[in-house]
């Protein structure tokens, strides 16, 4: 995701975000408690949810590295996933009042006729299923400073929806300060699942559809110039995914108390203290925090997007595309002719992360196939294959630019 000088030149010269940890000025005594569970032993979705395990584990490590929070990570996958291991990991969480909890599940899910909540039942192997609402209630009772819980449940395969729109901010340098504002300064909880009652959730070869949309929205906030916002992020991640009979409408709850100094929903620095602002419907005051109803959820639609300025073909979109093309050109110019990826683990990890970022940009089937070739070449330590796929990527993006930015 050799010579160290050449890879440094390749990456920094291209201004490419490879999520190298940027340590905060002062280490925090806080802890990030992460439970990441995927049903990777399932024959139908195992490969896809394994990608989710890798991306969510990388995210947990990025959060820790960029905020100074100590990482307490529990991964559950393959044959280790069962009701006892999952609920045991949840019950074992002992967060201090200033700690953060991150819970993530990717696998099958379903609903019973008697299910009364908006949340799915997680189809944990060798169990009758675990109500996601039960997990959310137990996590809420931990009273951590901030809790993020995501379930990409009830997965089945579909073709990737064809969309020319791409998020080029996923390929820019993330801000350590944005990590701290989102994960260190936020108080409250963000709960989400991939589809509303009565809907399936879907997966691609490179991960769950909702997980990929969440990561794309997160990268926009981490890499953006304005102050990051959970509300804005979840409006983007919570928009309908797919269309027709294959549409997914994520279910989202955002209940936050923004910490002082975190300008969450506007670009204006905070002024002198004034009277307290009443919370919006999906927020709570600190005294009411423990009383949040986990069923007070939001369903977004396409009109909830704040991203109209970056629609394909717009001036902002074409400016970002032009910068991205410049990055690809600088990378190609600095690529050495020969690299032994089997020996150069640092370079291999950087290239793997680069391929992950390219996947998080979005794109259509052809783009996804090229990015998959880049990822496979890295796995096989095939530098010549990587360079060939990179050239195809540059050629594809040149055509994309000609088509949409005349």
């Amino acid at each position: 995701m050799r010579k160290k000088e050449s890879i440094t030149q390749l990456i920094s010269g291209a201004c490419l975000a490879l999520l190298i940890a940027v340590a905060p000025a002062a280490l925090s005594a806080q802890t990030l408690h992460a439970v990441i569970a995927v049903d990777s032993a399932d024959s139908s979705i195992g490969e896809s949810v394994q990608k989710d395990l890798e991306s969510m584990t990388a995210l947990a490590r990025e959060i820790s590295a960029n905020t100074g929070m100590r990482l307490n990570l529990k991964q559950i996958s393959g044959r280790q996933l069962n009701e006892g291991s999952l609920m045991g990991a949840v019950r074992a969480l002992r967060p201090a009042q200033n700690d953060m909890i991150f819970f993530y599940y990717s696998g099958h899910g379903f609903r019973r006729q008697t299910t009364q909540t908006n949340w799915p039942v997680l189809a944990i192997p060798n169990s009758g299923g675990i109500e996601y609402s039960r997990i959310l209630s137990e996590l809420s009772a931990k009273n951590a400073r901030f809790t993020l819980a995501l379930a990409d449940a009830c997965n089945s395969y579909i073709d990737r929806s064809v969309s020319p729109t791409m998020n080029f901010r996923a390929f820019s340098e993330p801000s350590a300060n944005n990590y701290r504002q989102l994960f260190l300064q936020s108080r409250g909880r963000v709960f989400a699942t991939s589809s509303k009652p009565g809907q399936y959730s879907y997966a691609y070869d490179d991960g769950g559809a909702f997980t990929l949309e969440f990561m794309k929205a997160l990268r926009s906030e981490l890499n953006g110039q304005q102050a990051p916002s959970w509300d804005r992020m979840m409006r983007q991640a919570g928009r309908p995914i797919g269309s027709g009979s294959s549409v997914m409408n994520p279910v989202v709850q955002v209940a936050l108390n923004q910490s002082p100094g975190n300008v969450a929903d506007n670009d204006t620095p905070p002024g002198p203290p004034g009277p307290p602002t009443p919370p919006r419907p999906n927020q709570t005051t600190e005294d009411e925090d423990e009383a949040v109803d986990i069923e007070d959820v939001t369903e977004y639609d396409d009109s909830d997007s704040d991203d109209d300025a970056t629609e394909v073909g717009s001036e902002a979109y074409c400016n970002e595309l032009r910068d991205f093309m410049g990055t690809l050109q600088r990378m190609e110019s600095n690529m050495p002719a020969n690299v032994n990826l089997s020996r150069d683990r640092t370079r291999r990890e950087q290239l793997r992360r680069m391929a992950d970022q390219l996947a998080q940009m979005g794109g259509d089937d052809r783009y996804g196939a090229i990015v998959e070739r880049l990822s496979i070449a890295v796995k096989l330590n095939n530098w010549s294959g990587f360079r060939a796929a990179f050239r195809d990527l540059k050629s594809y993006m040149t055509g994309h630019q000609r088509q949409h930015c005349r």
Side-chain angles (χ1 to χ4, degrees), residues 261-328:
N262 185 2
V263 186
D265 286 309
N266 60 68
D267 303 330
T268 306
T277 302
R280 285 177 289 182
N282 63 347
Q283 291 181 309
T284 65
T285 62
E286 189 165 358
D287 291 338
E288 294 172 338
D289 189 54
E290 295 182 18
V292 171
D293 180 2
I294 63 171
E295 290 305 310
D296 182 17
V297 300
T298 301
E299 183 182 324
Y300 297 111
D301 58 37
D302 288 324
S303 65
D304 290 297
S305 171
D306 286 336
D307 295 329
D308 291 342
T310 55
E311 285 300 313
V312 62
S314 70
E315 181 179 359
Y317 182 87
C318 291
N319 287 339
E320 291 179 3
L321 175 54
R322 184 183 63 250
D323 292 343
F324 176 71
M325 293 300 297
T327 296
L328 294 184

Side-chain angles (χ1 to χ4, degrees), residues 108-128:
H108 287 296
F110 63 94
R111 293 185 66 77
R112 302 185 179 97
Q113 292 295 328
T114 55
T115 301
Q116 299 297 313
T117 76
N118 286 288
W119 307 109
V121 179
L122 308 185
I124 305 301
N126 303 315
S127 77

Side-chain angles (χ1 to χ4, degrees), residues 26 49 85 126 166-167 174 188 191 200 206 244 254 268 285-286 288 305 313 328 350 369 376 391 403 405:
V49 301
S85 63
N126 303 315
M166 305 176 76
N167 173 22
F191 294 161
Y200 290 102
D206 52 348
V254 179
T268 306
T285 62
E286 189 165 358
E288 294 172 338
S305 171
L328 294 184
Q350 290 175 328
I376 291 173
R391 285 193 295 268
Q403 179 180 358
C405 299

Side-chain angles (χ1 to χ4, degrees), residues 35 37 76 81-90 103 122 124 130 135:
V35 176
I76 309 172
L81 180 63
N82 54 57
E83 183 173 5
S85 63
L86 182 61
M87 296 310 299
V90 171
F103 175 87
L122 308 185
I124 305 301
I130 301 176
I135 293 175

Side-chain angles (χ1 to χ4, degrees), residues 66 76 142 279 346:
N66 285 278
I76 309 172
K142 303 290 182 180
T346 299

Side-chain angles (χ1 to χ4, degrees), residues 51-64:
K51 294 278 191 178
D52 293 335
L53 174 67
E54 294 169 3
S55 63
M56 292 298 104
T57 299
L59 174 60
R61 288 173 174 154
E62 290 168 29
I63 295 170
S64 173

Side-chain angles (χ1 to χ4, degrees), residues 164-220:
T165 305
M166 305 176 76
N167 173 22
F168 301 107
R169 280 173 287 178
F171 210 64
S172 59
E173 187 68 39
S175 164
N177 184 59
N178 286 351
Y179 277 97
R180 291 193 288 271
Q181 289 198 49
L182 285 174
F183 299 106
L184 198 60
Q185 298 177 16
S186 295
R187 293 183 179 274
R189 54 184 66 91
V190 175
F191 294 161
T193 190
S194 51
S195 53
K196 70 180 183 180
Q199 290 183 330
Y200 290 102
S201 294
Y202 299 102
Y204 308 124
D205 289 339
D206 52 348
F210 172 69
T211 298
L212 293 172
E213 289 300 314
F214 171 80
M215 289 301 297
K216 186 162 63 172
L218 174 62
R219 294 302 178 207
S220 289

